[in-house]
Amino acid sequence: MGNSALKSHLETSQKTGVFQLTAKGLQEFPEELQRLSSNLRTVDLSGNKIEVLPAAIGNFLQLKSLTLNCNRLTGLPSEISKLKKLETLSLNGNRIQQLPPTLGQLKALRTLSLSGNQISELPLGLGTLRHLDLLDLSRNQIQNVPAQVSELQAIEINLNQNQISVLSADVSLCPRLKVLRLEENCLELSSIPQSILKDSQVSLFSVEGNLFEVKNLRDLEGYDKYMERFTATKKKFT
């Protein structure tokens, strides 16, 4: 893309606080954006070929939304933790294997979307994200949901299309969890903790495409309690 096109984009962004440049074959994060680091609120660079997010991303202190879906990122710099106003971080369809431990410092984060990466373990250290509405880890390579999941403050956790065969009963202790998606994993009926049905606040528990018939959930203790929550939530939205 020519410099003049980038220049006009930058001029517009200076006024709007929004920089969007998708599917333009960019191989690196545009250095020129640094000039706007003090007033950009939204950056979308989806569908490019960016491999590295530079440490300088930590200078964009006004950023509320950062979207880099469908690039070639393999990780994130720890400096991303400086973005205290960031509410949406969307990195679907990259090659990320793990997250920096500093990610838990993004105190304003509401949506963390990491679908279609190469994450093999549930990221820890995110329990400090107290406003998290959605944690999307679908289409990764996670096999085990450990006890530390109970720290997560998310309202919805999407783990569809992983390789999960172990699900800790502590998931029922997640204080705000209402929607738990585990479709197309490797769960047996015997690996479903009854506490999710009986004792949690989960009102949508989605487990189609595992190693059991969904209708057999009815045989588990606590299913009636779960259905009460499910029906009450459904009524609220109809």
Side-chain angles (χ1 to χ4, degrees):
M1 188 186 67
N3 272 346
S4 59
L6 182 57
K7 201 173 165 203
S8 73
H9 262 281
L10 289 168
E11 284 169 8
T12 308
S13 299
Q14 197 151 13
K15 295 172 194 144
T16 61
V18 176
F19 185 84
Q20 184 175 26
L21 203 55
T22 55
K24 290 286 187 286
L26 294 181
Q27 295 190 347
E28 48 190 43
F29 190 87
E31 212 176 301
E32 297 86 345
L33 277 189
Q34 286 297 326
R35 279 181 268 152
L36 302 180
S37 62
S38 59
N39 65 342
L40 278 183
R41 291 186 309 278
T42 300
V43 170
D44 185 355
L45 293 164
S46 297
N48 285 293
K49 298 173 181 175
I50 298 168
E51 294 182 14
V52 175
L53 194 57
I57 192 68
N59 300 331
F60 290 76
L61 299 178
Q62 302 305 315
L63 215 51
K64 285 193 163 185
S65 174
L66 178 59
T67 304
L68 285 150
N69 297 333
C70 302
N71 276 280
R72 296 177 181 176
L73 298 173
T74 54
L76 296 171
S78 58
E79 288 80 1
I80 199 161
S81 64
K82 296 178 183 171
L83 307 181
K84 303 298 184 199
K85 294 186 177 180
L86 197 67
E87 295 179 4
T88 301
L89 180 57
S90 190
L91 302 163
N92 301 327
N94 279 281
R95 300 169 184 178
I96 295 168
Q97 294 178 8
Q98 52 189 39
L99 303 174
T102 53
L103 208 64
Q105 294 172 25
L106 296 175
K107 295 291 187 342
L109 206 61
R110 292 184 173 278
T111 299
L112 178 55
S113 206
L114 292 153
S115 178
N117 278 281
Q118 295 171 11
I119 296 167
S120 57
E121 293 185 352
L122 194 80
L124 302 177
L126 300 179
T128 45
L129 304 177
R130 301 200 174 276
H131 302 289
L132 201 59
D133 293 331
L134 170 65
L135 175 60
D136 186 352
L137 289 161
S138 58
R139 296 190 302 117
N140 277 285
Q141 297 157 15
I142 298 167
Q143 298 176 13
N144 172 19
V145 178
Q148 293 93 321
V149 69
S150 64
E151 299 169 2
L152 291 174
Q153 306 274 335
I155 293 172
E156 174 174 344
I157 300 175
N158 186 342
L159 290 162
N160 289 348
Q161 293 180 301
N162 277 276
Q163 298 154 19
I164 296 166
S165 58
V166 178
L167 177 60
S168 168
D170 287 359
V171 73
S172 62
L173 302 175
C174 290
R176 299 170 73 224
L177 188 63
K178 297 280 194 290
V179 177
L180 179 58
R181 300 184 190 277
L182 284 157
E183 293 174 22
E184 294 181 50
N185 277 284
C186 308
L187 290 163
E188 305 269 3
L189 188 62
S190 57
S191 20
I192 301 294
Q194 297 187 359
S195 58
I196 293 179
L197 303 173
K198 208 167 48 173
D199 306 320
S200 78
Q201 297 185 49
V202 172
S203 56
L204 179 59
F205 182 46
S206 194
V207 287
E208 285 79 4
N210 278 280
L211 306 178
F212 61 91
E213 295 275 333
V214 175
K215 63 180 186 208
N216 293 342
L217 270 184
R218 294 175 203 160
D219 302 336
L220 296 184
E221 192 189 337
Y223 182 77
D224 293 347
K225 264 188 150 179
Y226 162 68
M227 280 313 291
E228 282 172 25
R229 297 192 302 270
F230 174 80
T231 311
T233 307
K234 229 175 161 185
K235 275 183 187 151
K236 218 185 282 181
F237 292 105
T238 50

